[in-house]
Amino acid sequence: MKSFIKEFREFITDGNIIDMAIAFIMGGALQVLLKALVDDIFMPIIGIFTGAVSFADIVWQVGPAQIKIGSFISAAITFVLTGLIIFIMVKAMNKARALTGKTDDDDDADDETELAVLQAIRDELAEQNKINTHAKSNQS
């Protein structure tokens, strides 16, 4: 049970998990902000041009069914704005990452260097093993 708790603590305190949790919370806050922007600023302006008092009140009546086209358009605008802001943020992060000069290729180069060192150690051990084997056979 102690190892489970220890593993869970390491998982929770891992930087990537914390970053992801912060991003999730910020995304929720961004969604609320954008919904308020669309519903309280954009929709009344659009309502002026469409003649509706409230854009959310625009409804198509098809028999007994009501198709709330205004609410759907409001949600679609919120979705597009959310995507635009996330795109801008990802683009800025990629640019910042590029400015630091750290890329995935650097990680590959480190792996290749590590592999070369390990191969050199293996070859050195094999050479020492040959020398020791040859010396023992000469002593016999």
Side-chain angles (χ1 to χ4, degrees):
M1 184 66 162
K2 286 184 179 183
S3 67
F4 176 80
I5 293 172
K6 182 181 177 187
E7 288 178 38
F8 182 70
R9 185 180 311 132
E10 289 173 6
F11 173 77
I12 292 297
T13 59
D14 183 17
N16 293 333
I17 298 298
I18 300 294
D19 294 343
M20 191 169 60
I22 291 169
F24 184 77
I25 292 168
M26 292 300 294
L30 174 67
Q31 188 70 25
V32 170
L33 179 67
L34 287 176
K35 183 164 178 33
L37 176 70
V38 169
D39 291 344
D40 300 334
I41 306 293
F42 291 161
M43 290 300 117
I45 294 171
I46 294 172
I48 292 170
F49 296 111
T50 61
V53 176
S54 172
F55 199 78
D57 292 338
I58 297 176
V59 176
W60 291 345
Q61 190 74 32
V62 180
Q66 290 184 345
I67 300 172
K68 298 179 179 182
I69 191 70
S71 295
F72 175 76
I73 292 173
S74 175
I77 291 171
T78 302
F79 173 77
V80 169
L81 286 176
T82 303
L84 176 67
I85 290 174
I86 290 172
F87 172 75
I88 291 169
M89 291 171 67
V90 168
K91 190 171 173 95
M93 290 298 297
N94 288 341
K95 187 173 184 177
R97 191 174 293 133
L99 290 175
T100 63
K102 181 73 174 162
T103 63
D104 290 339
D105 293 338
D106 293 341
D107 292 338
D108 292 341
D110 290 344
D111 290 344
E112 290 175 13
T113 304
E114 184 178 336
L115 179 61
V117 169
L118 290 172
Q119 287 174 340
I121 292 170
R122 178 200 62 199
D123 295 343
E124 183 67 30
L125 289 172
E127 187 65 32
Q128 286 178 359
N129 192 22
K130 279 185 195 177
I131 293 171
N132 289 341
T133 306
H134 184 65
K136 285 182 183 179
S137 65
N138 286 340
Q139 289 176 354
S140 302

